[in-house]
Amino acid sequence: MRPWAGSWRWITLVLLAWGTLLFYIGGHLVRDSEHPERSSRELSKILAKLERLKQQNEDLRRMAESLRIPEGQAEAGSLAAGRLRSLEDQLTRAKQKIHSFQRLTGDGPGPTQEELRRRVENGVKELWYFVRSEVKKLANVEASERQKYADTLLQDMGHQERSIMTDLYYLSQADGVGEWRVKEAKDLSDLVQNRITYLQNPPDCSKARKLVCNINKGCGYGCQLHHVVYCFMIAYGTQRTLILESHNWRYATGGWETVFLPVSNTCTDRTGATTGHWSGEAHDKDVQVVELPIVDSLHPRPPYLPLAIPEDLAQRLHRLHGDPSVWWVSQFVKYLVRPQTWLEKEIQQTTAKLGFKHPIIGVHVRRTDKVGTEAAFHPIEEYMLHVEEQFQHLARRVHIDKKRVYLATDDPSLLQEAKTKYPEYEFISDNSISWSAGLHNRYTENSLRGVILDIHFLSQTDFLVCTFSSQVCRVAYEIMQTLHPDASSFFYSLDDIYYFGGQNAHNQIAVYPHQPRNSEDIPLEPGDVIGVAGNHWDGYSKGVNRKLGRTGLYPSYKVKEKIETVKYPTYPEADKLLTAQKK
């Protein structure tokens, strides 16, 4: 009988075992797609191990080929015997891996996650039972007692809402998901910051394609910063190095680089072989240096404007962040506002001087030029209502030693008013900043220092109460996104929803039908596209049903955001450098 005649039976068994294992894991991956609540951490482990198993399967195939013994060849030798023993060892390890995968995927979500999910589910049902019962009782309450009854009802509903929100917070952190979110946020930010750095530091500035942006738009600091962000996004989308012209900046005559780090270390010269004004990405492809107008005069409009996000990052951003569009804007803000050494020292000294520490809620009250033109007047009581509500939320998770409020305002009299009306709060504020924010002092280096400090401290708070009609508030909110994995819900705006000046249309998609109950409502059918005008913060939003052309109100919960994606360049060379650095 030919030596090792039974080897093919062994090979067949081994390959069958590997095939069974791969089929088993593949089946788990399919089943996991039907259960989105399964931990993403488990799925990542499975995918990584699956890749290793595929490689080992290929090694086995090659080993099986080497064991094939031609007819008439009697000598197999010790080499073949050694390879067969290696195959048997790998079969044993394959069985061990099967047991490992069973332990990994067979138990489902972690116990903490399931316990919290059931608590949230039960909490929502109990809240509905409570509201339904109490509203029915309202008809029998005497007219003189209805206000007291309504106040008690709202107080009780608030307790239940905070309980549910607390459970949802812990659910978001359960079974390693919180750690995953922190890592994913850092990885994504590192990726984008590295791409920007690569774009901004070309090896030969004289040959680089450039986009020139002049900072001196006729508006305040927040507006000018957003103007530069808009320029930066188009530079990134068109693969042009941003040249920021800031000499004789109205806030600092020495320019941007006297306050923040330069936007480039290697390329700040706008010269080039050819220069032209923006006339569209395709039309400008042979022009080395392109000058960009303010967004109001931009024509044609490229696809890179907010609220669009990069296609190659969209899936990860949808999974990580509650508002991917804000996250994308925040990455350009993050790169731009890297402080010079003197400013970093100033921030540290002011932090110590003010006694800024957590827990703390930020309040920004814009008065002066905004009131009566771009925004309505809001008394301090409106802000403090939401401050107190947030402290009650925080108290479910952390110890509140003092109820601290960082108050930023351009009204110097407001600090004393707030202290008088709310003595149980500790208000942290610098009145010199309020004076410098007045119209007669606004465009000075001292005013610039003040607005930068206000934005910094507002972004560092645990929650932000403000008016999104103010650019300062929106910048603070954007920076806040760079300090947390997902801070999209860390705000309450007394007026507008978040927007970016000059943005493309903000759309939502209806997910539930809606039949109008009065003349102010508009109908919805699933799939309808709604152009958003604003949120009334009372359960209803205002917008236009683009299919019907009708404008009106609709329940906010019946729609979801329609995030536009754009084919931004992916900068593979920058990604290679980042990968090499991590190794």
Side-chain angles (χ1 to χ4, degrees):
M1 187 174 101
R2 182 164 56 90
W4 307 105
S7 62
W8 282 108
R9 286 195 296 272
W10 276 103
I11 293 167
T12 303
L13 285 172
V14 171
L15 294 180
L16 180 60
W18 279 104
T20 302
L21 177 59
L22 293 175
F23 178 81
Y24 172 86
I25 297 169
H28 265 283
L29 292 176
V30 172
R31 287 194 296 274
D32 280 348
S33 68
E34 298 169 358
H35 300 281
E37 74 278 1
R38 191 175 298 276
S39 170
S40 61
R41 187 161 44 93
E42 295 176 353
L43 182 58
S44 298
K45 288 179 181 179
I46 291 173
L47 291 173
K49 291 189 178 183
L50 180 57
E51 288 302 315
R52 290 196 293 271
L53 291 176
K54 288 179 180 178
Q55 182 59 49
Q56 291 171 9
N57 188 45
E58 180 62 23
D59 292 341
L60 281 172
R61 187 192 62 78
R62 288 195 295 268
M63 190 175 291
E65 288 294 324
S66 69
L67 282 171
R68 180 174 297 164
I69 302 172
E71 287 296 327
Q73 184 174 334
E75 63 280 6
S78 60
L79 181 61
R83 287 175 175 169
L84 186 56
R85 283 193 297 272
S86 176
L87 262 159
E88 293 172 2
D89 291 341
Q90 293 197 44
L91 176 59
T92 301
R93 288 197 293 273
K95 292 178 180 177
Q96 293 172 348
K97 287 180 183 291
I98 289 175
H99 294 307
S100 174
F101 277 113
Q102 287 174 333
R103 289 194 301 270
L104 181 64
T105 63
D107 294 337
T112 306
Q113 183 178 350
E114 281 300 279
E115 178 186 350
L116 288 166
R117 182 189 62 78
R118 284 189 288 269
R119 280 172 55 179
V120 170
E121 181 181 12
N122 184 65
V124 171
K125 287 192 295 185
E126 290 297 330
L127 179 60
W128 166 240
Y129 296 155
F130 172 75
V131 172
R132 181 175 60 185
S133 172
E134 294 299 311
V135 170
K136 286 180 178 179
K137 294 176 185 175
L138 190 58
N140 299 319
V141 176
E142 294 291 334
S144 60
E145 294 293 317
R146 282 180 184 170
Q147 184 60 54
K148 180 180 177 181
Y149 183 88
D151 291 342
T152 302
L153 175 59
L154 287 173
Q155 186 178 47
D156 291 343
M157 288 173 62
H159 285 305
Q160 294 199 41
E161 183 264 350
R162 286 188 288 275
S163 296
I164 294 170
M165 295 301 292
T166 301
D167 287 340
L168 283 171
Y169 167 79
Y170 285 119
L171 181 62
S172 74
Q173 305 298 310
D175 299 325
V177 177
E179 289 86 346
W180 167 83
R181 196 174 287 113
V182 170
K183 182 180 184 302
E184 177 70 354
K186 182 181 184 305
D187 288 347
L188 274 170
S189 183
D190 287 349
L191 179 72
V192 174
Q193 295 300 307
N194 183 68
R195 290 179 179 182
I196 295 174
T197 302
Y198 177 84
L199 172 67
Q200 287 302 110
N201 294 280
D204 188 346
C205 184
S206 65
K207 297 179 180 178
R209 286 157 42 88
K210 304 170 186 177
L211 190 90
V212 179
C213 180
N214 192 304
I215 195 173
N216 279 314
K217 184 179 180 180
C219 54
Y221 169 75
C223 169
Q224 290 182 344
L225 176 59
H226 280 141
H227 168 61
V228 179
V229 169
Y230 134 77
C231 293
F232 219 154
M233 287 180 147
I234 295 181
Y236 184 96
T238 57
Q239 300 184 76
R240 292 179 176 272
T241 300
L242 178 70
I243 304 296
L244 179 59
E245 292 193 329
S246 61
H247 185 65
N248 289 325
W249 184 21
R250 67 193 305 184
Y251 278 102
T253 56
W256 183 267
E257 296 78 13
T258 63
V259 182
F260 302 106
L261 295 181
V263 295
S264 175
N265 295 322
T266 66
C267 192
T268 57
D269 184 357
R270 63 167 289 162
T271 58
T274 54
T275 302
H277 294 280
W278 172 267
S279 56
E281 183 177 7
H283 190 272
D284 295 336
K285 62 180 175 29
D286 296 324
V287 180
Q288 184 181 356
V289 182
V290 174
E291 295 187 36
L292 199 66
I294 62 174
V295 70
D296 313 71
S297 306
L298 185 68
H299 183 78
R301 290 169 64 89
Y304 311 114
L305 295 172
L307 302 164
I309 62 173
E311 185 179 80
D312 68 308
L313 304 180
Q315 186 174 2
R316 294 175 69 180
L317 284 176
H318 277 293
R319 187 180 181 196
L320 172 72
H321 203 272
D323 194 335
S325 301
V326 177
W327 186 95
W328 180 236
V329 169
S330 78
Q331 292 304 303
F332 292 92
V333 176
K334 178 179 180 178
Y335 185 90
L336 285 168
V337 299
R338 297 165 298 156
Q340 287 282 8
T341 303
W342 73 264
L343 179 56
E344 192 168 18
K345 184 177 180 181
E346 177 87 5
I347 291 172
Q348 292 171 354
Q349 290 175 343
T350 307
T351 301
K353 174 185 172 184
L354 293 177
F356 185 96
K357 58 182 179 179
H358 297 270
I360 187 168
I361 290 174
V363 171
H364 177 245
V365 181
R366 182 70 183 271
R367 299 273 171 87
T368 61
D369 59 321
K370 287 284 183 180
V371 174
T373 55
E374 298 178 37
F377 178 90
H378 296 278
I380 189 63
E381 287 82 359
E382 284 190 53
Y383 296 87
M384 293 305 294
L385 174 68
H386 302 289
V387 169
E388 175 58 30
E389 183 176 311
Q390 288 308 312
F391 270 118
Q392 290 184 33
H393 275 287
L394 284 171
R396 299 290 183 108
R397 307 197 313 261
V398 299
H399 172 64
I400 308 294
D401 59 333
K402 287 184 179 179
K403 292 193 287 189
R404 298 181 191 85
V405 174
Y406 181 81
L407 178 61
T409 180
D410 54 1
D411 180 355
S413 68
L414 187 60
L415 177 60
Q416 187 55 51
E417 178 188 344
K419 287 182 175 180
T420 301
K421 290 182 175 178
Y422 299 95
E424 70 274 24
Y425 288 85
E426 179 183 346
F427 288 92
I428 296 173
S429 186
D430 185 342
N431 236 14
S432 66
I433 295 178
S434 300
W435 283 106
S436 71
L439 292 177
H440 56 290
N441 295 321
R442 182 158 297 174
Y443 301 111
T444 63
E445 291 191 12
N446 190 46
S447 172
L448 177 63
R449 167 194 168 275
V451 70
I452 290 172
L453 287 173
D454 266 348
I455 288 173
H456 168 78
F457 288 119
L458 288 170
S459 72
Q460 295 283 327
T461 59
D462 299 301
F463 192 87
L464 187 56
V465 181
C466 60
T467 50
F468 269 167
S469 58
S470 168
Q471 303 257 15
V472 168
C473 176
R474 298 202 305 275
V475 172
Y477 177 65
E478 289 156 2
I479 296 175
M480 187 180 274
Q481 307 312 307
T482 71
L483 305 176
H484 306 270
D486 181 6
S488 59
S489 63
F490 292 9
F491 80 97
Y492 187 91
S493 170
L494 271 60
D495 54 15
D496 294 337
I497 58 176
Y498 175 84
Y499 66 94
F500 189 97
Q503 69 185 29
N504 286 327
H506 180 178
N507 291 320
Q508 295 174 331
I509 301 175
V511 292
Y512 298 113
H514 178 65
Q515 292 302 318
R517 296 179 179 176
N518 54 55
S519 60
E520 294 184 331
D521 283 15
I522 57 173
L524 301 178
E525 290 296 334
D528 285 355
V529 176
I530 313 300
V532 185
N535 191 318
H536 286 196
W537 311 119
D538 60 359
Y540 279 79
S541 292
K542 185 175 182 180
V544 56
N545 186 318
R546 299 201 184 278
K547 182 176 70 176
L548 303 176
R550 289 180 57 179
T551 299
L553 302 178
Y554 57 93
S556 302
Y557 81 92
K558 291 189 174 184
V559 298
K560 66 177 182 179
E561 292 296 318
K562 186 178 188 294
I563 306 296
E564 303 293 341
T565 60
V566 172
K567 285 186 179 295
Y568 271 95
T570 57
Y571 297 96
E573 293 302 317
D575 292 356
K576 288 179 184 177
L577 292 173
L578 181 62
T579 302
Q581 291 170 7
K582 288 185 176 181
K583 288 181 179 178

